[in-house]
Amino acid sequence: MATVETVNGPVNLDELGLTLIHEHFRATDEATRFQFPHMYDEAAEWEAAMSDANAIRGHGVQTVVEPSAMFLHRDAAFSKRVADESGLNVILATGVYTYEHLPQPLLNRTEDEIAEIFVPDIEQGIQGTGIKAAFIKCAADEPGVTPNVEKIHRAAARASQQTGRPIMAHSRPASGTGLDQMRIFSEEGVDPGKVQVAHTGDTDDLAYIERLLDTGCWIGMDRYGLDIFLPTEQRQKTLLALLEKGDADRMFLSQDWCSTLDWFTPEAEEQIKPTAAPNWSMTFLFEQVIPELKDRGMTDEQLNQMMVENPKRWLA
Ligand SMILES: [Zn+2]
C-alpha cells in the first residue's frame, strides 16, 4: 500500500480522506519574527491554529496539506502539535517561497547545490525532527519568473527528480506565470503529472487554464475567499465550467487561509478585509462554496474526486 509522509510519519494514501490541499496554520516571516519577537503573540497564534483545526475537523476534514516553505515560517514542530491536538494529518513541504529575494546562502549556490539542501528534508527530516517533507514548494508572482525564481524552480525540479516527490508551484495567473513555470519543469524533465500549479483559480480566463491543463499539470482552485484576486462568483462559474468539461480529475479545492498572517498591521487588516476578503476563512468552502456548487450541479462524485482522490494521486 502506497503511503505519504505526514508530521506523524507515513500514512496510507487511503487513510487521508477529505483533504484541504492548501492551508496555513501560521504564515509569518521568520527573519522578522526572529529579530523582533515582540511583534508576535505565540499564544494567540496557537489559539488561532487550533480553532481552525477543530473547525475543519467538524466539517469532516481529515488531512491538511500545509505548503509553508522558507519565508512562510515553516515549523515542523508547530505543525506536529496542531496535528497531535486536533487529530488531523498534516503534510509538509520543503522549498522556498519567494517572488524574487534570495538570501546570500542561496544566492551564492547553484541549482544543484540548492536541490542538495532540499533533499535531506525529504529523506531525513525537517529541522532535525525526523518529520519528512512530502513535496517541494516554489513560487512565482508579480515579478514573473526572474533569474532567482527560475533558480528555485530548477532546484525544486532536480530535488523532485532525485526523490520522486511532487511539486507545488505558487503561480500568478494575472501575469501568466503558470505556463513559464511549466516550461521550466518540462526543460528539467519533470513529469507534468507531478506538478500542481497553485492559485490557478485566481483567474476566470478559461483559455489560459486550458493551455495550462494541456501541459498535463494539476491546478489549484485554492483561494476561495480571496476576493481581491477573484470574487467568489467568478471562481464558482469557472469551476463549474471546468467540471462541465470533465476536468474534476485535475483540480483541487482549498482556501489558502492563514490562521495567522503577519503581512499587515491589525489596523490595515481591518481596513482591507471587507473588500479584499470578507468571507475568507478555513471553513468558507464548507459553509458556502460547496453547498452552492452542489445546488448548481456539482455531483458528490466530482467533490470526492477533487478533495479525496486527487490529493492521493498527486501525493503518490
Ligand atoms: Zn499558500
Side-chain angles (χ1 to χ4, degrees):
M1 168 59 66
T3 62
V4 59
E5 293 293 339
T6 76
V7 293
N8 282 311
V11 167
N12 283 341
L13 287 168
D14 283 337
E15 285 164 27
L16 295 184
L18 191 65
T19 300
L20 285 169
I21 205 77
H22 195 135
E23 310 292 340
H24 304 271
F25 288 111
R26 180 165 68 175
T28 64
D29 178 70
E30 50 257 53
T32 309
R33 106 179 264 139
F34 183 81
Q35 295 302 333
F36 310 111
H38 52 273
M39 289 170 62
Y40 296 84
D41 181 343
E42 286 263 355
E45 290 170 5
W46 174 248
E47 229 168 85
M50 282 316 296
S51 148
D52 287 331
N54 290 326
I56 57 175
R57 284 292 277 162
H59 287 286
V61 173
Q62 286 167 267
T63 301
V64 173
V65 175
E66 188 177 24
S68 298
M70 181 180 187
F71 295 136
L72 277 179
H73 192 198
R74 179 185 63 150
D75 180 341
F78 183 89
S79 297
K80 180 172 163 38
R81 264 174 72 207
V82 171
D84 288 345
E85 300 253 331
S86 65
L88 286 166
N89 299 309
V90 178
I91 295 175
L92 299 184
T94 185
V96 180
Y97 171 80
T98 184
Y99 299 170
E100 170 55 14
H101 167 77
L102 284 182
Q104 293 293 344
L106 300 186
L107 214 47
N108 299 319
R109 277 175 167 78
T110 64
E111 290 87 345
D112 284 328
E113 287 165 342
I114 295 172
E116 289 311 312
I117 299 175
F118 295 160
V119 169
D121 278 5
I122 293 166
E123 292 180 345
Q124 276 108 56
I126 301 165
Q127 298 158 342
T129 59
I131 293 168
K132 292 174 183 164
F135 65 103
I136 305 150
K137 173 89 182 280
C138 55
D141 204 272
E142 200 162 1
V145 179
T146 66
N148 285 349
V149 163
E150 177 165 348
K151 184 155 119 176
I152 296 302
H153 278 64
R154 293 196 185 277
R158 292 174 200 185
S160 168
Q161 292 286 62
Q162 268 184 62
T163 59
R165 291 299 159 82
I167 296 172
M168 182 193 286
H170 164 115
S171 74
R172 185 175 193 266
S175 314
T177 64
L179 294 165
D180 276 346
Q181 292 170 284
M182 288 309 294
R183 176 186 47 79
I184 295 171
F185 295 134
S186 138
E187 285 169 11
E188 293 285 332
V190 174
D191 169 3
K194 281 189 190 292
V195 182
Q196 174 184 164
V197 180
H199 313 328
T200 301
D202 282 353
T203 184
D204 57 358
D205 179 349
L206 285 167
Y208 167 80
I209 297 176
E210 213 48 60
R211 285 206 302 280
L212 203 49
L213 284 172
D214 284 344
T215 69
C217 66
W218 301 87
I219 57 172
M221 310 303 274
D222 53 10
R223 274 182 160 175
Y224 270 99
L226 279 168
D227 290 10
I228 188 167
F229 300 120
L230 195 72
T232 302
E233 176 53 22
Q234 281 160 269
R235 289 181 191 274
Q236 296 287 60
K237 276 194 185 138
T238 308
L239 189 93
L240 288 162
L242 292 168
L243 287 178
E244 181 95 353
K245 277 181 49 275
D247 289 330
D249 59 351
R250 316 289 299 282
M251 303 191 280
F252 302 99
L253 297 185
S254 215
Q255 300 142 134
D256 200 11
W257 169 249
C258 306
S259 304
T260 298
L261 182 67
D262 66 349
W263 290 13
F264 306 101
T265 63
E267 297 74 39
E269 206 174 282
E270 215 159 285
Q271 227 179 9
I272 300 165
K273 196 166 166 38
T275 48
N279 300 311
W280 195 33
S281 78
M282 212 183 267
T283 53
F284 180 45
L285 275 181
F286 306 102
E287 284 154 2
Q288 187 181 320
V289 174
I290 291 171
E292 205 179 284
L293 286 170
K294 283 186 174 174
D295 283 346
R296 293 164 76 170
M298 178 183 70
T299 65
D300 288 341
E301 197 191 336
Q302 287 171 325
L303 182 63
N304 187 67
Q305 182 74 44
M306 292 187 284
M307 298 195 74
V308 178
E309 293 305 317
N310 293 349
K312 279 161 53 176
R313 288 167 54 216
W314 174 66
L315 287 162

PDB file of all heavy atoms in Angstrom, residues 22 24 67 72 137 199 256, ligand 1:
ATOM      1  N   HIS A  22      -4.366  23.143   0.460  1.00  0.00           N
ATOM      2  CA  HIS A  22      -3.533  24.353   0.575  1.00  0.00           C
ATOM      3  C   HIS A  22      -4.058  25.284   1.665  1.00  0.00           C
ATOM      4  O   HIS A  22      -4.872  26.163   1.399  1.00  0.00           O
ATOM      5  CB  HIS A  22      -3.502  25.077  -0.780  1.00  0.00           C
ATOM      6  CG  HIS A  22      -2.408  26.095  -0.875  1.00  0.00           C
ATOM      7  ND1 HIS A  22      -1.602  26.222  -1.970  1.00  0.00           N
ATOM      8  CD2 HIS A  22      -1.975  27.044   0.011  1.00  0.00           C
ATOM      9  CE1 HIS A  22      -0.727  27.192  -1.779  1.00  0.00           C
ATOM     10  NE2 HIS A  22      -0.935  27.709  -0.579  1.00  0.00           N
ATOM     11  N   HIS A  24      -2.743  27.232   5.632  1.00  0.00           N
ATOM     12  CA  HIS A  24      -1.611  27.513   6.531  1.00  0.00           C
ATOM     13  C   HIS A  24      -2.103  27.722   7.968  1.00  0.00           C
ATOM     14  O   HIS A  24      -2.922  28.598   8.206  1.00  0.00           O
ATOM     15  CB  HIS A  24      -0.867  28.777   6.088  1.00  0.00           C
ATOM     16  CG  HIS A  24      -0.388  28.736   4.662  1.00  0.00           C
ATOM     17  ND1 HIS A  24       0.845  28.221   4.310  1.00  0.00           N
ATOM     18  CD2 HIS A  24      -0.966  29.131   3.500  1.00  0.00           C
ATOM     19  CE1 HIS A  24       1.000  28.325   2.990  1.00  0.00           C
ATOM     20  NE2 HIS A  24      -0.088  28.857   2.483  1.00  0.00           N
ATOM     21  N   PRO A  67       1.567  24.077   2.755  1.00  0.00           N
ATOM     22  CA  PRO A  67       2.749  24.374   1.940  1.00  0.00           C
ATOM     23  C   PRO A  67       3.517  25.598   2.431  1.00  0.00           C
ATOM     24  O   PRO A  67       3.765  26.534   1.691  1.00  0.00           O
ATOM     25  CB  PRO A  67       2.158  24.604   0.546  1.00  0.00           C
ATOM     26  CG  PRO A  67       0.744  25.000   0.777  1.00  0.00           C
ATOM     27  CD  PRO A  67       0.353  24.646   2.171  1.00  0.00           C
ATOM     28  N   LEU A  72       7.834  31.456   4.931  1.00  0.00           N
ATOM     29  CA  LEU A  72       6.467  31.458   5.472  1.00  0.00           C
ATOM     30  C   LEU A  72       6.479  30.799   6.853  1.00  0.00           C
ATOM     31  O   LEU A  72       5.466  30.343   7.338  1.00  0.00           O
ATOM     32  CB  LEU A  72       5.498  30.727   4.545  1.00  0.00           C
ATOM     33  CG  LEU A  72       4.919  31.518   3.369  1.00  0.00           C
ATOM     34  CD1 LEU A  72       3.987  30.641   2.543  1.00  0.00           C
ATOM     35  CD2 LEU A  72       4.163  32.766   3.848  1.00  0.00           C
ATOM     36  N   LYS A 137       8.008  22.932  -2.657  1.00  0.00           N
ATOM     37  CA  LYS A 137       7.272  24.165  -2.944  1.00  0.00           C
ATOM     38  C   LYS A 137       8.172  25.197  -3.594  1.00  0.00           C
ATOM     39  O   LYS A 137       9.326  25.355  -3.201  1.00  0.00           O
ATOM     40  CB  LYS A 137       6.728  24.723  -1.617  1.00  0.00           C
ATOM     41  CG  LYS A 137       6.066  26.095  -1.695  1.00  0.00           C
ATOM     42  CD  LYS A 137       4.588  25.990  -1.987  1.00  0.00           C
ATOM     43  CE  LYS A 137       3.922  27.364  -2.129  1.00  0.00           C
ATOM     44  NZ  LYS A 137       3.618  28.014  -0.862  1.00  0.00           N
ATOM     45  N   HIS A 199      -3.082  28.265  -7.209  1.00  0.00           N
ATOM     46  CA  HIS A 199      -3.720  29.573  -7.418  1.00  0.00           C
ATOM     47  C   HIS A 199      -4.188  29.809  -8.849  1.00  0.00           C
ATOM     48  O   HIS A 199      -4.461  30.945  -9.231  1.00  0.00           O
ATOM     49  CB  HIS A 199      -2.807  30.721  -6.952  1.00  0.00           C
ATOM     50  CG  HIS A 199      -2.195  30.500  -5.601  1.00  0.00           C
ATOM     51  ND1 HIS A 199      -2.852  29.803  -4.606  1.00  0.00           N
ATOM     52  CD2 HIS A 199      -0.992  30.856  -5.078  1.00  0.00           C
ATOM     53  CE1 HIS A 199      -2.068  29.744  -3.534  1.00  0.00           C
ATOM     54  NE2 HIS A 199      -0.942  30.364  -3.796  1.00  0.00           N
ATOM     55  N   ASP A 256      -6.310  28.608   0.866  1.00  0.00           N
ATOM     56  CA  ASP A 256      -5.062  29.326   1.150  1.00  0.00           C
ATOM     57  C   ASP A 256      -5.224  30.223   2.374  1.00  0.00           C
ATOM     58  O   ASP A 256      -4.621  31.298   2.462  1.00  0.00           O
ATOM     59  CB  ASP A 256      -4.598  30.146  -0.069  1.00  0.00           C
ATOM     60  CG  ASP A 256      -3.113  30.505   0.000  1.00  0.00           C
ATOM     61  OD1 ASP A 256      -2.402  29.964   0.865  1.00  0.00           O
ATOM     62  OD2 ASP A 256      -2.674  31.344  -0.812  1.00  0.00           O
TER      63      ASP A 256
HETATM   64 ZN    ZN B   1      -0.311  29.445   0.409  1.00  0.00          ZN
END
